[in-house]
Amino acid sequence: MNELKNARNDYEATPIPQELDALVRASIRQGRKNYRQRYLKISLATAAACFAVLFGTLNLSPTAAAIAADMPILSGLFKILTIQNFQQTQDGIDFQVSVPEIQASGPLAPQINAAIQEEVDRHLAKARQDWADYSEAFLATGGTKAELAERRMDVIVDYEIKSQTDTTVSFAVYLGECWVAAYEESYYYNLDLQNNQPITLQMLLGDDWVQICNESIQRGIAASVDETGFSYFFPAEEGGFAGVDENTAFYIRPDGVPVVTFAKYEIAAGAAGTPEFPITTE
């Protein structure tokens, strides 16, 4: 996500009114409370409701349309298409949008597609509202329309395929917003498209998956402690890592190893970035 890093550097180097800086940063702190990396656990009973969301619109550009598949059909079982792929500037917002869709038989694919579209629509609506609030506050605290016209918000939707086989796929969807400060949400999908079911940590690690994950993550945290005893990771009693559960986010590496992920600030200081822990028994 080099776009996020570059945009963040540009905006943090731009001076803004002191009152507005405090207001916007307070809003961002509140927004951070509302996001978490999440592993999507899907019940087949929700298929009808989810399918309806799939037809929600993403009407940012009249030229936005489905494009060719980004990967070939694998054994005829499934393929992943980029159904929205465009860059445009609208009302002070630079949109960079690339939305995936799974094409496969069975009920799982439309459920996943609906869930992704719902998150994308929510993200874009939030970005527009954030920019509207920012613009109003900027003008109210002494900024001019000419100065505001020189500012931009970057809004990014992107995805990355982490691993794939003939019957399974693991991928991440990234939702980014970058202006006075930056944040990114990540959603991970690990799918068995042959059996129409999500892949769980228990399926990969067995019945002792909780203990295996906890011990592996705790080893990783312990290895981060420097020679002075300092670590960026919070103690468990202060909001740090307290154990995995069915909602813990993860993806699957090409070698089949699951990697548990945490959002920035979720279990560690911001300097730790977005912590990731390969889950091993060693």
Side-chain angles (χ1 to χ4, degrees), residues 67-131:
I67 63 171
D70 284 335
M71 60 181 270
I73 296 175
L74 302 177
S75 299
L77 186 64
F78 74 92
K79 59 183 176 179
I80 295 182
L81 306 178
T82 304
I83 60 165
Q84 298 283 347
N85 188 37
F86 62 90
Q87 298 182 11
Q88 80 169 56
T89 298
Q90 184 181 67
D91 299 329
I93 304 176
D94 290 334
F95 292 97
Q96 301 175 56
V97 175
S98 182
V99 182
E101 178 183 270
I102 303 168
Q103 289 194 354
S105 61
L108 183 59
Q111 291 179 56
I112 295 297
N113 294 335
I116 292 172
Q117 189 66 66
E118 184 175 22
E119 290 300 337
V120 169
D121 291 343
R122 175 197 58 79
H123 175 61
L124 297 176
K126 178 182 180 298
R128 290 192 185 95
Q129 187 60 55
D130 286 345
W131 185 250

Side-chain angles (χ1 to χ4, degrees), residues 185-206:
E185 300 178 54
S186 302
Y187 295 85
Y188 296 91
Y189 303 88
N190 307 291
L191 310 175
D192 179 347
L193 290 161
Q194 183 174 44
N195 296 303
N196 276 289
Q197 62 182 353
I199 300 171
T200 67
L201 287 167
Q202 183 175 11
M203 292 167 61
L204 296 172
L205 301 170

